Amino acid sequence: MTTPPNTPPLPDPSAVPPQDQAFTADAAPAYAATPAYASAPAHAAAPAPGAVGPKNTIGLIALIVAVATLVLSTVTLVSQAVLMMQSDYDYVLINLVTTVLTSIGGLLSLAAVVLGAIGLAKKGAPKGAAGVGLGIGIATVWAILGNLIFSALVSLVY
């Protein structure tokens, strides 16, 4: 192997570097002994495969009841539409059906709100289903109050 012209020669690896660049044992910084770290906090053992964690049955019931109120609300709207499409268009019947179905939905909504609040208050239990049940319950209570007010106004006008 030939070296290209005008290249400085490589230093000899066995040569000792000049004294001002040398690293000697007495020039090394003094470090303290290996620091002692606090021990890691103890964690609970991982659950066994197939093991079920904590449950929030009340929160799950709140979610189921809240979904039932949504289904009942849809049934109420469809029944109103079907009754309004009839040729004899009876406001009293529409008001009666709406009031009965909405009252049942209102009771279910209140149950979802109460059960959702209880499910959220449980310590150490999952909160997802209870929170969704509570949220849907509050929304349907609000909608049902509006529907009842509308039904009352319709019955006063007609």
Side-chain angles (χ1 to χ4, degrees):
M1 175 169 156
T2 60
T3 58
N6 298 335
T7 1
L10 293 173
D12 181 17
S14 62
V16 178
Q19 191 62 9
D20 59 336
Q21 297 177 2
F23 181 78
T24 59
D26 48 330
Y31 292 108
T34 305
Y37 295 105
S39 62
H43 295 289
V52 179
K55 294 182 181 178
N56 192 348
T57 307
I58 293 177
L60 182 61
I61 293 171
L63 178 61
I64 292 169
V65 171
V67 169
T69 62
L70 293 176
V71 171
L72 188 61
S73 175
T74 303
V75 169
T76 304
L77 291 173
V78 169
S79 67
Q80 287 174 342
V82 168
L83 289 172
M84 287 181 181
M85 287 190 300
Q86 292 178 353
S87 60
D88 54 349
Y89 205 86
D90 187 8
Y91 285 108
V92 175
L93 181 60
I94 293 171
N95 191 18
L96 176 66
V97 169
T98 302
T99 303
V100 169
L101 291 177
T102 304
S103 297
I104 294 169
L107 292 174
L108 288 174
S109 296
L110 289 175
V113 168
V114 170
L115 291 171
I118 291 171
L120 283 177
K122 285 182 75 173
K123 296 202 185 308
K127 309 271 189 240
V132 172
L134 178 65
I136 292 173
I138 290 171
T140 53
V141 164
W142 184 256
I144 287 170
L145 286 175
N147 197 355
L148 287 174
I149 291 169
F150 176 75
S151 296
L153 291 175
V154 167
S155 66
L156 290 175
V157 172
Y158 294 101

